[in-house]
Amino acid sequence: MKIVFLGAPGAGKGTHAQQLMKELGIPQISTGDMFRRAIREETPTGLQAKSYMDKGELVPDEVVIAMVKERLAEDDCKNGYILDGFPRTVAQAEAMEEFATIDLALNIDVPAELIISRLSSRRMCAGCGATYNITLHNSDKCSTCGGELYQRDDDKPETIRKRLDVYEEKTAPLVAYYREKGLLSTATLLGTIEENNEVVRAALNKKD
Ligand code: ADP
Ligand code: ZN
């Protein structure tokens, strides 16, 4: 199954994409994680992406599209994948149609006030990329790999506001885009992680 995850920053795309990756045995492809790795490794893509990410802006379409196209051509993507963070603009969605056919666009829908509080308390594992909420996790270490937890630069308050504005302007139109194609399934998440996992699982088997 080829799935696109839609949703505002902090809606829980990463958490639920990782969960589904384990259950469905298909890779989670997070463009944000790919860029963060590229920045650490100082690759040409990383150098291009860094200034945009630090400001909470989108990396230019052509940089992201080239990176995703290359990634989807790898062997482990043959039986499907979960795209987490791509496409993020209508131009990206249109470009992707030339190299991938999506089965489902899963729209993770979460009230705005929850999003802001979550992003400010989000911490990420430097080892494996898992995310934690400091109000729920009483340690500065990852419980899976023991890695250090840190706060992403773009999870600082000013940048959070900027990212939410960018989402509304550039990414939210994708909801209508995929609805028109008959590919949209909405998961409204208001419960605990376990309850939300159930809602996401159910959303895989329906269309809006
Ligand atoms: P979040 O979903 O919480 O905003 P991500 O880790 O998905 O965080 O993305 C972090 C940053 O990486 C974005 O703010 C943006 O600068 C860049 N980025 C990731 N995916 C894309 C994309 N598809 N197009 C443009 N920029 C992207
Ligand atoms: Zn870890």
Side-chain angles (χ1 to χ4, degrees), residues 31-47:
T31 44
D33 287 349
M34 290 172 82
F35 282 133
R36 281 183 285 278
R37 192 177 323 120
I39 289 171
R40 273 202 303 281
E41 294 171 357
E42 298 180 351
T43 68
T45 300
L47 295 174

Side-chain angles (χ1 to χ4, degrees), residues 8-10 13 30-33 35-36 52-53 56-61 64 84-88 92 119 122 152 154-155 163:
K13 291 191 300 291
S30 158
T31 44
D33 287 349
F35 282 133
R36 281 183 285 278
Y52 297 99
M53 286 181 72
E57 288 169 6
L58 294 183
V59 177
D61 285 339
V64 192
D84 164 14
F86 182 93
R88 237 177 170 95
Q92 291 178 16
L119 285 173
R122 175 159 79 176
R152 281 169 40 180
D154 60 354
D155 279 345
R163 284 161 60 211

Side-chain angles (χ1 to χ4, degrees), residues 85-100:
F86 182 93
R88 237 177 170 95
T89 63
V90 171
Q92 291 178 16
E94 285 169 352
M96 181 172 64
E97 281 170 14
E98 280 161 34
F99 56 84

Side-chain angles (χ1 to χ4, degrees), residues 68-106:
V68 172
K69 185 175 180 186
E70 201 177 299
R71 178 67 187 86
L72 296 187
E74 284 175 34
D75 256 5
D76 63 333
C77 292
K78 278 211 188 79
N79 299 320
Y81 41 78
I82 302 161
L83 281 169
D84 164 14
F86 182 93
R88 237 177 170 95
T89 63
V90 171
Q92 291 178 16
E94 285 169 352
M96 181 172 64
E97 281 170 14
E98 280 161 34
F99 56 84
T101 307
I102 289 306
D103 300 304
L104 185 78
L106 209 153

Side-chain angles (χ1 to χ4, degrees), residues 125 128 142 145:
C125 172
C128 70
C142 173
C145 79

